Amino acid sequence: MNVLLKSAKIVNAQSKDLHLKKRDILIQNGTLAKIASKIDAPKGTKIVELKNLHVSLGWFDSSVCFGEPGYEERETILNGLRTASLSGFTDIVLNPNTHPIADSSSDIVFLKNASRDSATDLFPLGTMTMGAEGIDLAELYDMSNAGAVGFYDFKSPIENSNLLKIALQYVQNFNGLIYSEPLDTKIAGKGLVHEGTTSTKLGLKGIPSMAEELQIVRDLFILEYTGGKLHIPTISTANSVKLIADAKKKGLDVTCSVAIHNLYYTDQVLEEFDTAFKVNPPLRDKKDTKVLIKGLNDGIIDFVTTDHTPLNIELKAVEFDNATYGSIGLESAFGLLHKIFDTEKCIELLTHGKERYGLSETVLAEGNKACLTLFDPDKEYTFEKDNIHSTSKNSMTIGESLKGKVYGIFNNDQLVLN
């Protein structure tokens, strides 16, 4: 496919000669053929001219759920990847949140095959334990050979400390990455939301910050003993940032992420008992959001994620106590993040993280693969249901004023535009 992007402002701090410069970009057969101030379109080339067009390297999301296989009513792989493309993401890491759950090499092969013709690349996680039940290790080595980029019992804490120890030791043989959900279930108890002033006022059972932090302390002690690679997904408290900062100073190989909604919203939005805001980890207070944002600016938190979790309506349209945790977030990710950070920082955050999974980084230069996200950072609009491409509509961002609109992506020799 041959495409000419006209007058695109390039946002790529690694390319000093191109950063914040307006250029025409000629793509031929999936390759960046030419980048120049003015390019005449060769015959048969599709010309793309868009208002206030900005271009960056393709965006990466480390925590996405779909539904297929088993929960296709929530989201299929095909439509999920189309949604990711239209949201600006050229690469996503898929959580094992399906039925059957991805705990064998054949499950990983199915996911890879189902996604191979899409513009957005899918990199699956396998479970750490069989059936994500926390009892016996799954086929970690075989899943790695099949294409799994890490191992995660999605949203299920590893209660058996020895099992985590063994997993961290075992995967060092093939440079595997272990996830550990930061939640002590005994401390969390039957909590539903962040334990604080809001939970007390609303009469909702609270989850103390300590429930997250105790688990992180344990995991970091084990990591210090075993070595290996550990990822702690979607942290949410101020003290969690401090604990991980201290571990990094010790030289431990640990990374962490934060969900974009945990940077923007606080537990005060729960006053209407809207189940769209029921997420795991819970929305915390203003002190936590400030420290999380600072943690990203300081490089302690490694990357942001949408934590995109589609859910069918009957799991959300119930009493708050009975509602399932989760919100979709792909479509609103850039517009929400851009209300917190400036454009350059947003792009830095959205393009970072692939190296943790052993994935090759793209360089924006002539002769390289074209892996690009197209967007307008200045477009202000109100996010509505019509902006949702996902099959499920469980978004906490509906009705929110956002800044920044995604046009689409070019990747795998495919142009996908809204």
Side-chain angles (χ1 to χ4, degrees), residues 8 50 58 192 329 347 356:
L50 297 166
L192 301 169
I347 300 310
R356 184 57 168 167

Side-chain angles (χ1 to χ4, degrees), residues 157-215:
I158 304 164
E159 296 188 357
N160 184 336
S161 300
N162 192 53
L163 197 62
L164 177 61
K165 175 179 75 76
I166 292 169
L168 283 166
Q169 291 171 326
Y170 176 66
V171 297
Q172 291 177 52
N173 294 309
F174 51 92
N175 199 31
L177 177 65
I178 293 292
Y179 275 58
S180 182
E181 180 69 16
L183 182 69
D184 184 312
T185 56
K186 298 297 190 293
I187 296 292
K190 296 181 179 180
L192 301 169
V193 299
H194 172 61
E195 182 184 82
T197 304
T198 300
S199 65
T200 303
K201 183 167 69 173
L202 299 179
L204 293 171
K205 293 176 182 175
I207 302 173
S209 298
M210 180 175 60
E212 176 172 306
E213 295 152 8
L214 275 177
Q215 193 82 343

Side-chain angles (χ1 to χ4, degrees), residues 119-141:
T120 295
D121 289 311
L122 182 154
F123 300 97
L125 294 170
T127 61
M128 195 192 93
T129 64
M130 295 297 297
E133 294 176 351
I135 300 172
D136 299 308
L137 284 185
E139 302 171 4
L140 307 187
Y141 180 68

Side-chain angles (χ1 to χ4, degrees), residues 51-320:
K51 184 180 179 181
N52 196 31
L53 175 59
H54 286 57
V55 168
S56 73
L57 289 173
W59 300 348
F60 172 76
D61 191 348
S62 65
S63 181
V64 173
C65 297
F66 293 149
E68 185 181 0
Y71 302 117
E72 285 84 357
E73 73 279 8
R74 299 179 186 177
E75 190 61 277
T76 62
I77 291 172
L78 190 63
N79 189 65
L81 289 171
R82 175 179 173 272
T83 298
S85 298
L86 293 170
S87 303
F89 293 91
T90 57
D91 304 89
I92 62 109
V93 173
L94 186 69
N95 292 310
N97 187 32
T98 55
H99 184 75
I101 204 159
D103 63 358
S104 70
S105 58
S106 60
D107 297 318
I108 301 300
V109 169
F110 168 81
L111 294 170
K112 295 291 288 184
N113 287 340
S115 64
R116 64 185 172 188
D117 296 325
S118 295
T120 295
D121 289 311
L122 182 154
F123 300 97
L125 294 170
T127 61
M128 195 192 93
T129 64
M130 295 297 297
E133 294 176 351
I135 300 172
D136 299 308
L137 284 185
E139 302 171 4
L140 307 187
Y141 180 68
D142 290 344
M143 285 193 286
S144 177
N145 285 340
V149 295
F151 308 102
Y152 181 24
D153 290 358
F154 178 68
K155 300 296 184 185
S156 296
I158 304 164
E159 296 188 357
N160 184 336
S161 300
N162 192 53
L163 197 62
L164 177 61
K165 175 179 75 76
I166 292 169
L168 283 166
Q169 291 171 326
Y170 176 66
V171 297
Q172 291 177 52
N173 294 309
F174 51 92
N175 199 31
L177 177 65
I178 293 292
Y179 275 58
S180 182
E181 180 69 16
L183 182 69
D184 184 312
T185 56
K186 298 297 190 293
I187 296 292
K190 296 181 179 180
L192 301 169
V193 299
H194 172 61
E195 182 184 82
T197 304
T198 300
S199 65
T200 303
K201 183 167 69 173
L202 299 179
L204 293 171
K205 293 176 182 175
I207 302 173
S209 298
M210 180 175 60
E212 176 172 306
E213 295 152 8
L214 275 177
Q215 193 82 343
I216 289 175
V217 169
R218 184 206 70 166
D219 293 349
L220 294 174
F221 267 115
I222 294 172
L223 179 65
E224 188 170 7
Y225 176 81
T226 60
K229 293 166 58 177
L230 178 68
H231 180 67
I232 301 174
T234 58
I235 66 170
S236 66
T237 78
N239 202 36
S240 294
V241 178
K242 181 180 183 302
L243 291 168
I244 292 167
D246 291 343
K248 288 185 172 187
K249 286 178 184 174
K250 289 182 179 179
L252 300 187
D253 192 352
V254 59
T255 51
C256 64
S257 63
V258 62
I260 293 171
H261 52 250
N262 279 99
L263 298 170
Y264 185 79
Y265 294 106
T266 69
D267 60 349
Q268 290 184 354
V269 299
L270 297 170
E271 294 187 356
E272 299 298 322
F273 293 92
D274 186 345
T275 60
F277 293 101
K278 187 178 180 183
V279 288
N280 177 23
L283 302 175
R284 302 288 184 180
D285 60 27
K286 193 66 179 176
K287 179 194 73 173
D288 291 307
T289 60
K290 285 182 177 178
V291 175
L292 291 168
I293 290 168
K294 187 176 187 300
L296 281 166
N297 281 323
D298 293 344
I300 297 165
I301 301 176
D302 297 274
F303 31 90
V304 297
T305 176
T306 64
D307 211 22
H308 180 83
T309 309
L311 296 168
N312 28 308
I313 190 168
E314 61 268 25
L315 298 177
K316 281 293 189 179
V318 293
E319 296 86 354
F320 195 91

